[in-house]
């Protein structure tokens, strides 16, 4: 079965950096586009970043542009999100999601807390 | 950016009743609209994609309709496990989500 397992979240100070990882299994990872979606505590869902199946194309939400970088390693069935210059408003659960046109599978998420 | 609004913000119903949730887009999204269910402490789960197609394993009591800018998610007869937050999401232009409708027990 499809599994997406995020890791790398934690507490970081404003201005700091964090790298999230997502380990995928149960499907041919290299066939799918992938994205990161986040959800601030008690709030709604926000798309963050997107990458094509062979990494030829990426796109980021305005809130992430210039600070976050999405990447993947198809040989390792892994998705990453490098987050720099973190702000308090980046505090959220970050979900790794599989995209087949629609977002059809979600990981359980990893919590990122930006606080001094 | 395509903005999605959902109504009502909260819907209080009893098990066995029919639930009707609405989602409106700021511009046409054709049929590129999905619905997700989220329970506390869990990731969202895909219910409906492309406006009216049930995802794998989703019970027949869930149905979606609409196109263009106005969409509806209907739950024909509420089960206890259906009380949750429901989000709509468009993929006509990247991804945006509505603010959610909380369906709670009356």
């Amino acid at each position: 079965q499809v599994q997406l397992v995020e890791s790398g979240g934690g507490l970081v100070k404003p201005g700091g950096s964090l790298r999230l990882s997502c380990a995928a299994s149960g499907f041919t990872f290299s066939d799918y586009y992938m994205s990161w979606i986040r959800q601030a505590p008690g709030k709604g869902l926000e798309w963050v970043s997107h990458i094509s199946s062979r990494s030829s194309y990426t796109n980021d939400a305005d809130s992430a542009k210039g600070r976050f970088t999405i990447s993947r390693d198809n040989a390792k069935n892994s998705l990453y999100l490098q987050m720099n210059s973190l702000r308090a408003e980046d505090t959220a659960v970050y979900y790794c999601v599989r995209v087949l046109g629609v977002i059809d599978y979600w990981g359980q998420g990893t919590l990122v807390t930006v606080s001094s | 950016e395509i903005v999605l609004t959902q109504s009502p913000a909260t819907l209080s119903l009893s098990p066995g009743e029919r639930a009707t949730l609405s989602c409106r887009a700021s511009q046409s999204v054709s049929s590129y609209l999905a619905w997700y269910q989220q329970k506390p402490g869990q990731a969202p789960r895909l219910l409906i994609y492309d406006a009216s197609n049930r995802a794998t394993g989703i019970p027949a009591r869930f149905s979606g309709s609409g196109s263009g800018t106005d969409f509806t998610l209907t739950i024909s007869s509420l089960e206890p496990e259906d009380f949750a937050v429901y989000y709509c999401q468009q993929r006509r232009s990247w991804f945006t989500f509505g603010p959610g409708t909380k369906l709670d027990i009356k």
Side-chain angles (χ1 to χ4, degrees):
Chain A
Q1 72 282 19
V2 173
Q3 281 201 306
L4 300 168
V5 180
E6 302 93 337
S7 60
L11 175 63
V12 61
K13 289 182 167 52
S17 297
L18 215 52
R19 189 194 195 209
L20 306 183
S21 299
C22 171
S25 61
F27 65 102
T28 304
F29 182 69
S30 58
D31 284 350
Y32 290 84
Y33 284 39
M34 301 292 292
S35 282
W36 288 96
I37 307 288
R38 70 183 180 183
Q39 186 171 35
K43 303 297 184 182
L45 300 162
E46 179 189 16
W47 167 72
V48 174
S49 193
H50 182 79
I51 188 166
S52 62
S53 57
R54 306 288 175 172
S55 304
S56 56
Y57 182 78
T58 64
N59 193 31
D60 305 307
D62 287 345
S63 58
K65 275 187 168 64
R67 300 188 301 128
F68 295 2
T69 303
I70 190 171
S71 63
R72 65 192 294 163
D73 185 337
N74 286 346
K76 295 183 177 179
N77 291 336
S78 293
L79 177 72
Y80 306 102
L81 186 67
Q82 177 67 43
M83 303 187 294
N84 299 329
S85 303
L86 283 161
R87 307 165 179 162
E89 54 265 35
D90 296 319
T91 294
V93 173
Y94 285 73
Y95 294 103
C96 163
V97 301
R98 189 179 86 165
V99 180
L100 184 61
V102 67
I103 299 170
D104 62 350
Y105 283 95
W106 301 62
Q108 282 305 301
T110 187
L111 176 62
V112 172
T113 303
V114 184
S115 175
S116 54
Chain B
E1 177 184 319
I2 297 176
V3 177
L4 300 179
T5 55
Q6 291 185 243
S7 60
T10 303
L11 184 58
S12 298
L13 294 170
S14 300
E17 290 193 291
R18 182 184 187 89
T20 303
L21 288 67
S22 295
C23 177
R24 176 165 287 180
S26 60
Q27 58 187 271
S28 175
V29 298
S30 185
S31 293
Y32 297 129
L33 190 104
W35 291 92
Y36 299 87
Q37 176 194 67
Q38 187 178 34
K39 296 179 180 179
Q42 296 184 17
R45 175 175 73 143
L46 177 65
L47 299 175
I48 301 288
Y49 66 95
D50 292 348
S52 60
N53 298 286
R54 270 191 305 278
T56 303
I58 301 304
R61 63 181 182 274
F62 291 91
S63 64
S65 64
S67 66
T69 60
D70 290 294
F71 299 87
T72 301
L73 173 69
T74 301
I75 310 171
S76 59
S77 180
L78 285 165
E79 297 288 340
E81 62 267 27
D82 297 337
F83 292 92
V85 178
Y86 292 83
Y87 293 97
C88 60
Q89 175 247 324
Q90 65 82 24
R91 64 180 183 95
R92 176 67 179 82
S93 175
W94 292 106
F95 296 144
T96 54
F97 294 86
T101 290
K102 183 178 181 181
L103 178 57
D104 63 18
I105 299 177
K106 189 173 182 180

